Amino acid sequence: MKPLTEKEIQTELKNLNDWNFTDDKIHREFSFEDFKTALSFIVRVGFDAEDQGHHPELFNVYNTVQISLATHDAGDKVTGKDIKLAKAIDAIYKTF
């Protein structure tokens, strides 16, 4: 998979909610009312990520989940796979 240029990434970020691009990854932080809800979100993201064959970096403390996306097979750069998964994650978040 071919990495996106920074210009392509910035264009794609306009179609995503609150994602940003730093350190060759796209990142977003999600907040929930409690740990149980945050953990439920992580599980839902995990199932969708597995279905897509693409696995995010996840970090959780209490009610906050941070997600970073880059494609390992593309030299840990952002690709269309990351944009697709970010859109799926945004859709999952809307259900919480």
Side-chain angles (χ1 to χ4, degrees):
M1 181 143 273
K2 181 181 170 234
L4 299 175
T5 66
E6 186 166 351
K7 183 177 179 180
E8 291 170 324
I9 293 166
Q10 293 301 334
T11 298
E12 291 290 348
L13 289 177
K14 292 175 185 175
N15 299 315
L16 295 169
N17 296 316
D18 300 319
W19 289 83
N20 61 71
F21 175 65
T22 56
D23 301 324
D24 287 328
K25 298 176 185 179
I26 57 173
H27 312 270
R28 182 169 176 196
E29 184 172 287
F30 301 86
S31 295
F32 301 90
E33 69 180 52
D34 55 30
F35 176 74
K36 184 177 177 180
T37 307
L39 189 57
S40 296
F41 172 74
I42 291 170
V43 171
R44 295 261 319 269
V45 167
F47 278 99
D48 213 52
E50 184 65 21
D51 288 346
Q52 291 188 31
H54 193 45
H55 305 98
E57 293 179 16
L58 299 163
F59 181 76
N60 169 242
V61 175
Y62 181 56
N63 68 335
T64 302
V65 176
Q66 297 172 352
I67 298 179
S68 298
L69 300 172
T71 302
H72 304 297
D73 296 341
D76 290 321
K77 304 288 184 185
V78 175
T79 69
K81 288 177 76 170
D82 302 299
I83 302 303
K84 180 180 176 185
L85 185 54
K87 288 177 182 178
I89 292 168
D90 281 350
I92 291 167
Y93 186 61
K94 288 179 184 177
T95 68
F96 280 83

